[in-house]
């Protein structure tokens, strides 16, 4: 039974983590110390890290791929220096790694999880959790929950209402100038069309009259005004559609 559980989270968000999709993560073998730590304990706890990271929105690499890479490069086993992490990232195709330390004293567990970038070894998130008087299943569950929290910085970040996503902003920035100016051109044409059309409708039926009330010239602009109003309205709707597409 879990009697005490504390979680301390230290997140150092970087622009590289504000991605539109989750980044691949290599979950390293568990570094466990304490009372008679069997291999099956390490396997069970590592399975909890992988499952928790996946449930939290991360994209963990297959542990067999990671183990094969480490087996082929024994010097990388247990090494978490920047050069080692960079090489592990190259071998398994993962920009991030999760290193987990577990201290076991009797039936009490202390977990320390670190999320680091393989490019430079910089820590992006770290979590410490303790589980006192726990069964192995409870310890694995606690570690899984901690891993799920650790995955949050690399999962798809929520976009506040009314604010464009990073992907939308990127697309806008890479579009040609004429594409970005098109909605404004349609707006200007629409406003101009409405103004001219309204003027033509007002002039319809009017003309030049002399003092005797004779009007030899009478303006027939109604049809043209209505057509111009229609074109202006279409351009305004088009401008709105273009902005929505943007």
């Amino acid at each position: 039974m879990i009697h005490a559980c504390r979680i301390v989270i230290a997140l150092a968000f970087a622009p590289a983590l504000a991605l539109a999709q989750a980044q691949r993560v290599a979950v390293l073998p568990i570094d466990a110390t304490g009372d008679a730590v069997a291999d099956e304990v390490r396997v069970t706890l590592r399975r909890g890290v992988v499952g928790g990271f996946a449930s939290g929105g991360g994209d963990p690499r297959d542990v067999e791929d990671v183990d094969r890479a480490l087996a082929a490069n024994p010097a990388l086993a247990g090494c978490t220096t920047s050069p080692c992490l960079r090489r592990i990232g190259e071998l398994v195709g993962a920009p991030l790694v999760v290193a987990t330390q577990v201290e076991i004293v009797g039936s009490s567990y202390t977990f320390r999880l670190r999320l680091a970038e393989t490019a430079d070894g910089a820590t992006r998130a770290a979590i410490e959790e303790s589980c006192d008087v726990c069964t192995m299943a409870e310890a694995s569950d606690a570690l899984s929950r901690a891993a799920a929290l650790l995955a949050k910085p690399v999962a798809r970040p929520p976009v506040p209402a009314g604010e464009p996503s990073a992907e939308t902003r990127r697309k806008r920035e890479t579009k040609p100038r004429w594409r970005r100016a098109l909605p404004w051109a349609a707006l200007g044409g629409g406003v101009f069309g409405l103004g001219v059309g309204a003027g033509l409708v007002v002039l319809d039926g009017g003309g030049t009259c002399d003092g005797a009330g004779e009007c030899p010239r009478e303006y027939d602009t109604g049809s043209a005004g209505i057509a111009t109003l229609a074109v202006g309205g279409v351009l305004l709707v088009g401008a709105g559609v273009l902005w929505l597409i943007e």
Side-chain angles (χ1 to χ4, degrees), residues 1-242:
M1 184 175 182
I2 301 176
H3 289 293
C5 181
R6 69 179 185 278
I7 300 178
V8 178
I9 306 176
L11 301 179
F13 289 100
L17 288 181
L19 302 178
Q21 60 183 5
Q23 291 180 305
R24 282 193 161 185
V25 180
V27 178
L28 301 180
I30 300 293
D31 178 14
T33 59
D35 299 344
V37 182
D39 287 341
E40 64 183 71
V41 172
R42 292 186 173 89
V43 171
T44 299
L45 294 177
R46 189 184 187 189
R47 190 180 299 122
V49 174
V50 173
F53 211 92
S55 67
D59 183 17
R61 288 302 307 266
D62 192 321
V63 294
E64 293 182 357
D65 292 339
V66 178
D67 290 344
R68 277 194 294 268
L70 295 177
N73 300 269
L76 297 177
C79 180
T80 57
T81 63
S82 295
C84 289
L85 294 182
R86 185 180 304 111
R87 183 57 180 155
I88 292 172
E90 293 172 352
L91 291 172
V92 302
L96 299 168
V97 296
V98 177
T100 306
Q101 293 180 322
V102 181
E103 294 180 8
I104 305 174
V105 179
S107 58
S108 296
Y109 299 77
T110 300
F111 311 116
R112 297 182 182 87
L113 295 87
R114 174 189 170 220
L115 177 69
E117 287 197 4
T118 58
D120 55 8
T123 298
R124 293 309 178 201
I127 292 181
E128 179 177 333
E129 180 176 353
S130 66
C131 183
D132 299 330
V133 192
C134 298
T135 65
M136 175 53 60
E138 290 171 335
S140 179
D141 289 344
L143 187 54
S144 180
R145 289 192 296 272
L149 288 175
L150 195 68
K152 298 303 181 183
V154 294
R156 182 187 298 270
V159 178
E163 190 172 310
S165 66
E167 181 68 10
T168 300
R169 290 194 299 269
R170 183 190 67 78
K171 288 181 178 179
R172 288 178 179 175
E173 291 168 358
T174 57
K175 283 184 178 179
R177 286 185 177 179
W178 68 269
R179 287 281 301 276
R180 297 199 296 269
L182 197 56
W184 291 101
L187 176 63
V191 172
F192 179 78
L194 290 179
V196 172
L200 291 174
V201 170
V202 170
L203 286 175
D204 184 47
T208 56
C209 302
D210 55 25
E214 297 292 332
C215 300
R217 296 183 60 185
E218 185 174 322
Y219 299 133
D220 183 14
T221 57
S223 298
I226 293 173
T228 306
L229 284 173
V231 172
V234 170
L235 287 174
L236 286 178
V237 172
V241 171
L242 288 172

